[in-house]
Amino acid sequence: MDREFEKSLRIARKKHDIIALRIHDEREEQLVDVGLIQMEDVETGNLQWVDTSHKTIRKEFQKNYLTFENNLKKILQSSGVDHIDIKTGRD
């Protein structure tokens, strides 16, 4: 997340009542051991092979996910934006 996102939120929050809805699948939280898979870096478009059978890779993935999630929550809180976290795949 870049600083422009946070800046834009703060500006919009001054003029509007904003509630962030975060909709995500629980399967995005952890990398499942499925062997070799090709992944794309969404920022650069680069493709890279990842061996998901390595426990270290899966732990790093989850660590990065939790860091992203915590940073997002901090940005929303510091910007004064309420948020609702909705997870799909539940009854």
Side-chain angles (χ1 to χ4, degrees), residues 29-65:
E29 298 173 11
Q30 294 183 6
L31 190 60
V32 179
D33 179 358
V34 292
L36 266 174
I37 60 170
Q38 193 173 36
M39 298 182 89
E40 179 181 358
D41 183 324
V42 294
E43 292 180 3
T44 65
N46 292 336
L47 296 175
Q48 182 175 350
W49 287 96
V50 177
D51 188 354
T52 62
S53 65
H54 284 284
K55 192 173 187 177
T56 307
I57 299 276
R58 292 192 312 273
K59 281 187 175 185
E60 188 67 24
F61 182 90
Q62 186 172 29
K63 179 183 157 194
N64 289 338
Y65 174 82

